[in-house]
Amino acid sequence: MHAAADLELVGAVDKDDPLDLLAEAEVVVDFTHPDVVMGNLEWCVSRGIHPVVGTTGFDAERLDRVRELLAAHPGTNALIAPNFGIAAVLMMHFAQQAAKYFESVEIVELHHPGKADAPSGTARRTAELVAEARRKGGVAPSPDATTQEIAGARGADIDGVRVHAVRLAALIAHQEVILGGEGEVLTIRHDTMNRSSFTPGVLLGVRRVRDLPGLTVGLDALLDL
Amino acid sequence: MHAAADLELVGAVDKDDPLDLLAEAEVVVDFTHPDVVMGNLEWCVSRGIHPVVGTTGFDAERLDRVRELLAAHPGTNALIAPNFGIAAVLMMHFAQQAAKYFESVEIVELHHPGKADAPSGTARRTAELVAEARRKGGVAPSPDATTQEIAGARGADIDGVRVHAVRLAALIAHQEVILGGEGEVLTIRHDTMNRSSFTPGVLLGVRRVRDLPGLTVGLDALLDL
Amino acid sequence: MHAAADLELVGAVDKDDPLDLLAEAEVVVDFTHPDVVMGNLEWCVSRGIHPVVGTTGFDAERLDRVRELLAAHPGTNALIAPNFGIAAVLMMHFAQQAAKYFESVEIVELHHPGKADAPSGTARRTAELVAEARRKGGVAPSPDATTQEIAGARGADIDGVRVHAVRLAALIAHQEVILGGEGEVLTIRHDTMNRSSFTPGVLLGVRRVRDLPGLTVGLDALLDL
Amino acid sequence: MHAAADLELVGAVDKDDPLDLLAEAEVVVDFTHPDVVMGNLEWCVSRGIHPVVGTTGFDAERLDRVRELLAAHPGTNALIAPNFGIAAVLMMHFAQQAAKYFESVEIVELHHPGKADAPSGTARRTAELVAEARRKGGVAPSPDATTQEIAGARGADIDGVRVHAVRLAALIAHQEVILGGEGEVLTIRHDTMNRSSFTPGVLLGVRRVRDLPGLTVGLDALLDL
């Protein structure tokens, strides 16, 4: 991130460093741990510093607590996003937009074999968004005549959307949403080739958080979609 | 199209049949030829019938002429779309939305070997839309260090977007827009598996044309995007 | 198949027609039903006609019975193949050849939503062949750190190979074998675009069966692999 | 490569180090430069050390010179391979095997935008191998009805095989051979996810070179294909 000409790096702290090193910052990027992130947010917001947060574990209750913090410090904003990969965020958004125009939809996610959960959080979230868009659009369940199944062949059922998780050496993080209707298929695929894929999304957040009043959840709010 | 329960087929005419067979229709679908389509449109509009048109060859001049026709018959509308495949239309729309977030973009279109033009009209149009979105977004040209090229390897240059046309037995009509940025790739792909892929888009047009005042160009205007 | 200049169509029978219409044939192609195929084979072989068979349901016992039939009629041969799609047969063969060179392998098959079994017979067979090749090559099981799985996400386990079955409107029959090792992935994919994909394999069988002594099982025996 | 339990690293030299550091080795791996590789080979072979070579630039003349060197030192062998990525080597081999069974074949290679040549050496070599297999198999040229082409759209023509080169940020090295025939498509794809993909091929070479008499060219000779 040192390479962004219009931004200046004021400081960087690791887990045992004092936060005071960041006291001069306008924006703080927090990729830490659910156990400490709430304290970090309080520290930032109380000083008028806008936090950009990629740390996981924000449920409705935590988001409400952030909203209260921000309400007490007008003019200070926060961006919290579960995924800073722009391609992944666009994939989810497009899948949601396309969902109601196709009879069938399934998700195939592919990750390195060291991953503990299957399917991935991104795949589960995509399935939920797609399922909701289909419900709102009045789309019937995806047709499926399967009567003889070897257990697991048809994947996990997330809100009626089948999700398949591939684990393969050499892969990093990839996902494909496949939509099929009358004589045509639409595939939206995202490939993470290395961890630097979060950088442009984080930089976009840093540049824009000052102009987004209050709490913003999700990177898609910053993309002109 | 006979299978749509909420619509009634009033009549169907082939090229030497009299149009009068369609006089009772509310909507007429025109997939004919550039030489006759303007006459068909006049016939329809003058009778208060809404045309849904997939015939090619509509330039700015022809579209203006249709607007004049409709202005003279208030309450009569027309839909003219170069592509009624919903997946193809969504692919173009998503490519355009994503364009400014990626350093690089290229297009690979794949068709049956009987096709005369390369690249396809859809690929050319996609490249133009993507190029325009990149210009508006202030994106630099896609990086490319090629210094030794066997002629044609890097594809056709359409407004700075490289487009590759594959011709292969067994294929029908397919296109992939590949966008690459910092450590991640987004691929939007459309596959036509058979010609029936136009049906849902045409039916959508037939159902919606009555509520779209005047002239509507492009199926995307009917999709909630 | 009428289009093959070097072959002559002697006759074609449907299920209630007498087989005698085929008495002048050198080769008979049988795509019928497990209930009648053994009778058809006896009829052919006893007349010195070489059968080329795509009918399913041949287990070891039935194959032995065919071998006996042929032994009693020297000079008459038979070809029985579970799959006449050359691309599918090559996919299975290549997957088997590549299997021992990669740490990980998984299979994703994709079919139309009217299919009753999941995974497909071809996918199951591919998994068995791949598993056998890995065993012979002394390859350890594919690594997989999954500890939290929503049921079915990781697919069906066929001899230690994970197989995922996608069912999607507009698809016909498709399969992807994905192999991953140190920093690289090999993908072998087969797409059936329409049912005519069996034709070249059947024609190859018809041309070659006369020169293949006795019983030949599987189209791969006819390909120079 | 330090991780291979059955091999011992005797030494490693950079470009200005003396080769004597390697005098105790049984096998030397040479990934150097065309200007120095012939000297390195002489040094190794004259000492009875088997070289495994990934350096480029071996034409027929150089290979003949290596054969002479080896002939003068019976019992010393050499392996020279233009590509040590097993997935890439398998892709080329399978493409060659499949080539004669399909009407059409095209190649799409995709690389990072810093690459100077288009198409890649691997793509050119694949096209040559495929073209040769088609000639031997008596296959007619791939059908192509293109009459209106924007320059470059149909790719580079390498021995009658069309090759398309995509250059995209985030990519490393990827190639797809697409074969199409009657109603079916076979796709063989290789993705390099990072440079470590050469390691298993080099290790295979190191383990096997002692048992391969004389000069071996290409990694495929070591794979059981």
Side-chain angles (χ1 to χ4, degrees):
Chain A
M1 275 185 251
H2 301 202
D6 58 333
L7 301 174
E8 187 197 348
L9 180 65
V10 173
V13 299
D14 212 332
K15 66 175 170 163
D16 297 320
D17 297 329
L19 291 177
D20 293 336
L21 293 170
L22 304 173
E24 301 304 311
E26 260 186 287
V27 175
V28 161
V29 174
D30 186 297
F31 274 75
T32 58
H33 190 275
D35 291 350
V36 298
V37 67
M38 292 306 288
N40 295 347
L41 283 177
E42 276 193 57
W43 186 91
C44 289
V45 173
S46 64
R47 277 162 185 75
I49 301 172
H50 312 294
V52 167
V53 184
T55 307
T56 57
F58 281 86
D59 52 16
E61 196 186 324
R62 287 196 156 198
L63 292 175
D64 280 343
R65 176 79 191 108
V66 178
R67 280 188 196 98
E68 284 167 29
L69 273 173
L70 294 170
H73 294 83
T76 305
N77 310 323
L79 169 65
I80 300 179
N83 198 327
F84 275 96
I86 289 178
V89 169
L90 289 173
M91 173 197 65
M92 292 170 83
H93 182 79
F94 295 155
Q96 199 179 356
Q97 283 191 294
K100 70 173 172 183
Y101 297 108
F102 295 88
E103 256 179 276
S104 301
V105 59
E106 302 210 358
I107 296 171
V108 181
E109 57 92 331
L110 311 95
H111 282 83
H112 59 92
K115 188 169 178 59
D117 53 326
S120 69
T122 298
R124 266 179 294 143
R125 184 76 189 124
T126 311
E128 288 163 5
L129 292 171
V130 160
E132 190 192 3
R134 286 168 63 93
R135 261 193 309 273
K136 283 188 185 164
V139 183
S142 295
D144 182 358
T146 309
T147 51
Q148 304 164 40
E149 182 190 0
I150 298 180
R154 292 285 293 114
D157 182 330
I158 311 272
D159 285 10
V161 176
R162 296 289 173 158
V163 181
H164 311 270
V166 173
R167 296 293 170 263
L168 206 84
L171 290 185
I172 301 172
H174 316 256
Q175 183 175 311
E176 201 161 89
V177 182
I178 320 175
L179 303 117
E182 183 68 42
E184 56 173 11
V185 178
L186 178 68
T187 306
I188 305 166
R189 181 176 173 117
H190 147 257
D191 292 276
T192 299
M193 301 301 286
N194 67 59
R195 314 268 169 193
S196 69
S197 66
F198 286 169
T199 309
V202 171
L203 290 180
L204 185 65
V206 169
R207 286 189 181 99
R208 300 278 303 277
V209 66
R210 289 167 287 192
D211 305 323
L212 295 161
L215 175 63
T216 301
V217 179
L219 192 66
D220 35 344
L222 281 70
L223 306 175
D224 305 323
L225 299 172
Chain B
M1 276 186 250
H2 300 201
D6 59 331
L7 301 174
E8 188 197 348
L9 181 64
V10 174
V13 300
D14 212 333
K15 68 174 172 166
D16 296 320
D17 296 328
L19 290 177
D20 293 335
L21 292 170
L22 304 174
E24 301 303 311
E26 259 186 286
V27 176
V28 160
V29 174
D30 185 297
F31 275 75
T32 58
H33 190 275
D35 292 350
V36 298
V37 67
M38 292 306 288
N40 295 347
L41 283 176
E42 277 194 56
W43 187 91
C44 288
V45 173
S46 65
R47 277 163 185 77
I49 302 173
H50 311 295
V52 168
V53 184
T55 307
T56 56
F58 280 87
D59 50 18
E61 194 187 324
R62 284 195 157 200
L63 291 175
D64 280 343
R65 175 80 191 107
V66 177
R67 279 187 198 100
E68 285 167 28
L69 271 173
L70 293 170
H73 294 83
T76 303
N77 311 323
L79 169 66
I80 300 178
N83 197 329
F84 276 95
I86 289 178
V89 169
L90 289 173
M91 173 196 65
M92 293 169 81
H93 181 78
F94 295 155
Q96 200 179 354
Q97 282 191 296
K100 72 171 168 182
Y101 296 109
F102 295 89
E103 254 178 277
S104 301
V105 58
E106 301 211 359
I107 296 171
V108 181
E109 57 93 331
L110 311 95
H111 282 83
H112 59 90
K115 187 167 179 60
D117 52 326
S120 68
T122 297
R124 267 179 294 142
R125 184 76 188 124
T126 310
E128 289 163 4
L129 292 170
V130 160
E132 191 193 2
R134 286 169 63 95
R135 261 194 309 272
K136 282 187 186 166
V139 184
S142 296
D144 182 358
T146 309
T147 51
Q148 303 164 41
E149 183 190 0
I150 298 180
R154 292 285 294 114
D157 182 331
I158 311 272
D159 284 8
V161 176
R162 295 288 172 161
V163 181
H164 310 270
V166 174
R167 295 294 170 262
L168 205 84
L171 291 184
I172 301 172
H174 316 256
Q175 185 175 311
E176 203 162 87
V177 182
I178 319 175
L179 302 118
E182 182 67 45
E184 56 173 11
V185 178
L186 178 69
T187 306
I188 305 165
R189 180 175 174 117
H190 146 259
D191 293 275
T192 300
M193 301 300 287
N194 67 59
R195 314 269 168 192
S196 70
S197 66
F198 286 170
T199 309
V202 171
L203 290 178
L204 185 66
V206 169
R207 286 190 182 98
R208 299 278 302 277
V209 67
R210 288 166 290 192
D211 305 323
L212 295 162
L215 175 63
T216 302
V217 179
L219 192 66
D220 36 343
L222 282 67
L223 304 176
D224 306 324
L225 299 173
Chain C
M1 275 186 250
H2 302 200
D6 59 331
L7 302 174
E8 187 197 349
L9 180 65
V10 173
V13 299
D14 210 331
K15 67 174 171 166
D16 297 320
D17 296 330
L19 290 177
D20 292 337
L21 293 170
L22 304 173
E24 301 303 312
E26 259 187 284
V27 176
V28 160
V29 174
D30 185 296
F31 275 75
T32 58
H33 190 275
D35 291 350
V36 298
V37 68
M38 293 305 289
N40 295 347
L41 283 176
E42 277 194 56
W43 187 92
C44 288
V45 174
S46 65
R47 277 162 184 78
I49 302 173
H50 313 294
V52 168
V53 183
T55 306
T56 57
F58 279 86
D59 52 17
E61 195 186 324
R62 285 197 158 198
L63 292 174
D64 280 344
R65 176 77 192 108
V66 177
R67 280 187 196 96
E68 284 168 29
L69 272 173
L70 294 170
H73 295 83
T76 304
N77 310 323
L79 168 66
I80 300 179
N83 198 330
F84 276 96
I86 289 178
V89 169
L90 289 173
M91 172 196 65
M92 293 169 81
H93 181 78
F94 294 155
Q96 200 179 354
Q97 281 190 296
K100 74 171 169 183
Y101 297 109
F102 295 88
E103 255 178 276
S104 302
V105 58
E106 302 211 1
I107 296 171
V108 181
E109 57 93 329
L110 311 95
H111 282 83
H112 60 90
K115 188 168 179 59
D117 53 327
S120 69
T122 297
R124 267 179 293 143
R125 185 76 189 123
T126 310
E128 288 163 6
L129 293 170
V130 161
E132 192 192 2
R134 286 170 62 95
R135 263 193 310 272
K136 283 188 186 164
V139 184
S142 296
D144 183 358
T146 309
T147 52
Q148 304 164 40
E149 183 190 358
I150 298 180
R154 291 285 294 114
D157 182 330
I158 311 271
D159 286 8
V161 176
R162 296 288 174 161
V163 182
H164 310 270
V166 174
R167 295 294 170 262
L168 205 86
L171 292 183
I172 299 171
H174 317 256
Q175 184 175 310
E176 203 161 89
V177 183
I178 319 176
L179 303 116
E182 184 65 44
E184 55 172 12
V185 178
L186 179 67
T187 305
I188 306 165
R189 179 176 175 119
H190 145 258
D191 293 277
T192 300
M193 301 300 287
N194 67 59
R195 314 269 167 192
S196 69
S197 64
F198 286 170
T199 309
V202 171
L203 290 179
L204 185 66
V206 168
R207 287 190 181 99
R208 299 278 302 277
V209 67
R210 288 165 291 193
D211 305 323
L212 295 161
L215 175 62
T216 301
V217 178
L219 192 66
D220 37 344
L222 280 70
L223 305 176
D224 306 323
L225 298 173
Chain D
M1 273 187 253
H2 302 201
D6 59 332
L7 302 174
E8 188 197 348
L9 181 65
V10 174
V13 299
D14 211 334
K15 65 175 174 166
D16 296 320
D17 297 329
L19 289 178
D20 293 336
L21 293 170
L22 304 173
E24 300 304 311
E26 259 187 286
V27 175
V28 160
V29 174
D30 185 296
F31 274 75
T32 58
H33 190 275
D35 291 350
V36 298
V37 67
M38 293 306 288
N40 295 347
L41 284 176
E42 276 193 56
W43 187 91
C44 289
V45 173
S46 65
R47 279 160 184 76
I49 302 173
H50 312 293
V52 167
V53 184
T55 307
T56 56
F58 280 87
D59 51 16
E61 195 186 323
R62 287 195 157 200
L63 292 175
D64 280 344
R65 175 80 191 107
V66 178
R67 280 188 197 95
E68 284 168 28
L69 272 173
L70 294 171
H73 295 83
T76 304
N77 311 324
L79 168 66
I80 299 178
N83 198 328
F84 276 96
I86 291 179
V89 170
L90 289 173
M91 173 196 66
M92 292 169 82
H93 181 78
F94 295 155
Q96 200 179 355
Q97 282 191 294
K100 72 172 169 183
Y101 297 109
F102 295 88
E103 255 178 276
S104 300
V105 59
E106 302 210 0
I107 296 172
V108 181
E109 56 93 328
L110 310 94
H111 282 83
H112 60 90
K115 189 169 178 60
D117 53 326
S120 69
T122 298
R124 266 178 295 141
R125 185 76 189 124
T126 311
E128 287 163 6
L129 293 170
V130 160
E132 191 191 4
R134 286 169 63 95
R135 262 192 310 271
K136 282 188 187 164
V139 183
S142 296
D144 182 358
T146 309
T147 52
Q148 304 164 39
E149 183 190 359
I150 297 180
R154 291 286 294 115
D157 182 331
I158 311 271
D159 285 8
V161 176
R162 295 288 174 161
V163 181
H164 310 271
V166 173
R167 295 294 171 261
L168 206 83
L171 291 183
I172 300 172
H174 316 256
Q175 185 175 312
E176 202 163 88
V177 183
I178 319 175
L179 303 117
E182 183 67 43
E184 55 174 13
V185 177
L186 179 68
T187 306
I188 305 165
R189 180 175 176 119
H190 145 259
D191 293 276
T192 300
M193 301 300 287
N194 67 58
R195 314 266 168 195
S196 69
S197 65
F198 285 170
T199 309
V202 172
L203 290 178
L204 185 67
V206 169
R207 287 191 182 97
R208 300 278 302 277
V209 68
R210 289 165 289 193
D211 305 324
L212 295 161
L215 175 63
T216 301
V217 178
L219 191 66
D220 38 342
L222 281 70
L223 304 177
D224 307 322
L225 298 173

